[in-house]
Amino acid sequence: MTTPETHDVDGSVRIPNTAEDILRRAREAVPFLRERAAGIEAGRRLPEDVVALLRRNGVFRAAAPKDRGGPELTSVQQTELIETLATGDVSTAWCSMIGMDSGIYAGYLEEDAVQEFYGDLDTANSGWIHPQGRAERVPGGYRVSGHWRFGSGSTHCDVLVAGCRVFKDGEPEPDPVTGDPVQWRVMVARPHQYELVDTWFTTGLAGSGSGDYRVTDLFVPEEHSFSFQVPRRTGPLHAAPDAILRKMSGVPLGMARAAIDHVRDLAGTRVDRESGTPWTDSPRVQSALARAEMELAAARASVYSGLEAQWAALERGDEPTAQQRTATALARYHAFRTARNIVSVLFDLVGGSSVYREKSPLDRWLRDANTMCQHAVAQDSILELTGQVLLGGESRSPFL
């Protein structure tokens, strides 16, 4: 199956550059992604034609600002885009979610660095921002060494970032903005400057190519690094550093939508083995599907209402309240956990035929669900962090 393309008069492919067109092209790509999903998983990375599809459909440019010629999708629109792609293939949606960070990260860099790394709006980003590496300050920049995990999309990215703690003369360098005893900066470089380590042998999200990468003594100029505390652009995508997390909920929401639709389609042809009751007439099946729809609708409403309220507040320049700061994080946590529960229940509902990897996408979705819920945003520590803020305490996370 091929996906439709729009061409200019000279025959070249025209990349969509509005939220409406990008979302439309994503919906058109869903059947193709479903057809390729098993192969993507088996290959443990996104194949070149899928990456090319995302690029020409405007996915990687989704967050690029309008004054640079980009579409500048809101956090709500970005989430909807990822949700749509996830109904086709979850690993593709996961890599897309990270790949489009290029438009957000560019807002933290000086203009020369923006042009060098993100001058092409369709640049795909990758990397782990957790400060796992060490950046020793030297004249003009840093000497960077480290080993990072979870480089989702590192097998096809154009830019690979790496989070580091900053040291000077062997001692931790305090953060000049927050006063924290160690400064956290993100280093921006090309993937060929690192050694990519093929460690991604996992049960779920297998097609995301989220392997390790490492480097020793890489020189990174000062202007090729940034702090989330010092944005160089204004507006809702840079007023708070959690912009890179806001769209994540689209992955579990889209996966759960696909799983429900799949089982609803199955119900039209299945009959209970023991009772001979058609699934369409079975109270057990009816109740399970109704509950799944109810739970997904509630989780989805929480995600989108929280994002809409947050975006409106950031556009007004309001100081976020504790409720606003925690709402999106809690909705995100809830979306991941709810989606996993929905897929697990449907896996059990379908029964023995769910376990055949080559015949049932439920097997892949269950493994994807379990793997994605190991991400920090879906861990119980989120409840502790948000609860502390709700009770008047200070956040220990820069993203909350």
Side-chain angles (χ1 to χ4, degrees):
M1 178 180 292
T2 59
T3 56
E5 296 176 349
T6 303
H7 295 78
D8 288 322
V9 292
D10 63 359
S12 61
V13 176
R14 184 168 73 242
I15 298 175
N17 203 43
T18 66
E20 180 182 21
D21 286 344
I22 292 173
L23 287 165
R24 175 181 56 79
R25 293 277 280 271
R27 289 190 291 270
E28 292 171 350
V30 167
F32 172 78
L33 293 175
R34 286 179 179 167
E35 184 181 82
R36 297 299 305 279
I40 291 171
E41 179 179 56
R44 298 188 302 110
R45 59 181 291 174
L46 296 195
E48 291 182 5
D49 65 332
V50 172
V51 176
L53 169 71
L54 298 174
R55 204 182 300 275
R56 69 175 178 262
N57 281 4
V59 171
F60 297 139
R61 67 168 55 196
K66 290 181 178 178
D67 63 10
R68 288 187 55 225
E72 198 170 344
L73 271 63
T74 68
S75 294
V76 169
Q77 292 166 336
Q78 291 176 37
T79 305
E80 186 178 354
L81 172 58
I82 298 304
E83 181 182 18
T84 300
L85 293 171
T87 64
D89 177 60
V90 178
S91 286
T92 298
W94 190 269
C95 288
S96 299
M97 176 263 297
I98 292 169
M100 69 171 66
D101 281 338
S102 52
I104 298 175
Y105 289 156
Y108 291 91
L109 293 170
E110 297 177 2
E111 186 57 30
D112 286 348
V114 172
Q115 291 304 317
E116 180 172 347
F117 288 101
Y118 300 113
D120 181 350
L121 296 183
D122 301 299
T123 294
N125 210 91
S126 178
W128 199 31
I129 60 172
H130 181 76
Q132 189 70 28
R134 179 186 180 102
E136 186 73 30
R137 186 177 289 280
V138 296
Y142 307 90
R143 289 289 176 183
V144 175
S145 298
H147 187 132
W148 296 264
R149 298 185 296 165
F150 307 126
S152 300
S154 57
T155 54
H156 65 257
C157 70
D158 305 298
V159 176
L160 187 57
V161 304
C164 291
R165 293 181 175 89
V166 178
F167 291 78
K168 184 177 182 181
D169 299 325
E171 297 295 327
E173 181 176 277
D175 191 300
V177 177
T178 66
D180 290 340
V182 184
Q183 183 180 172
W184 168 25
R185 291 188 74 79
V186 178
M187 305 294 152
V188 183
R190 298 293 182 183
H192 72 263
Q193 295 178 276
Y194 297 89
E195 178 189 358
L196 301 184
V197 187
D198 188 9
T199 56
W200 196 241
F201 296 90
T202 60
T203 56
L205 291 177
S208 65
S210 304
D212 293 10
Y213 56 107
R214 61 192 176 201
V215 76
T216 301
D217 206 30
L218 171 68
F219 176 70
V220 176
E222 176 76 30
E223 62 270 21
H224 293 178
S225 71
F226 68 86
S227 165
F228 282 110
Q229 304 298 329
V230 188
R232 298 185 181 278
R233 298 188 67 88
T234 59
L237 283 180
H238 296 95
D242 74 327
I244 62 172
L245 304 180
R246 295 175 201 162
K247 59 192 178 299
M248 288 188 72
S249 300
V251 181
L253 292 177
M255 176 189 65
R257 177 73 270 158
I260 294 172
D261 290 346
H262 172 73
V263 177
R264 288 179 65 176
D265 287 342
L266 280 181
T269 59
R270 291 197 60 159
V271 175
D272 264 341
R273 183 182 306 163
E274 289 81 7
S275 67
T277 304
W279 267 31
T280 52
D281 297 330
S282 168
R284 177 177 66 92
V285 175
Q286 294 165 347
S287 296
L289 285 170
R291 184 176 296 278
E293 290 283 8
M294 174 185 68
E295 292 176 351
L296 178 57
R300 192 173 187 274
S302 179
V303 165
Y304 282 103
S305 63
L307 289 174
E308 288 168 355
Q310 179 191 41
W311 190 268
L314 292 173
E315 276 192 317
R316 294 192 301 267
D318 293 350
E319 183 69 26
T321 65
Q323 190 68 35
Q324 290 170 334
R325 290 165 59 194
T326 57
T328 52
L330 289 172
R332 189 162 48 241
Y333 167 92
H334 184 58
F336 274 81
R337 294 302 188 96
T338 299
R340 179 169 67 175
N341 182 66
I342 288 171
V343 172
S344 179
V345 168
L346 295 178
F347 185 90
D348 288 345
L349 179 70
V350 172
S353 61
S354 295
V355 307
Y356 292 99
R357 180 178 301 197
E358 295 183 0
K359 295 182 178 180
S360 174
L362 283 166
D363 174 79
R364 182 174 61 254
W365 288 325
L366 183 61
R367 289 181 284 104
D368 287 345
N370 281 316
T371 296
M372 73 174 69
C373 280
Q374 304 317 304
H375 194 282
V377 300
Q379 295 293 297
D380 285 344
S381 57
I382 294 298
L383 300 179
E384 178 184 347
L385 291 169
T386 54
Q388 183 174 2
V389 173
L390 289 170
L391 292 175
E394 292 295 324
S395 171
R396 301 196 305 273
S397 169
F399 299 110
L400 185 61

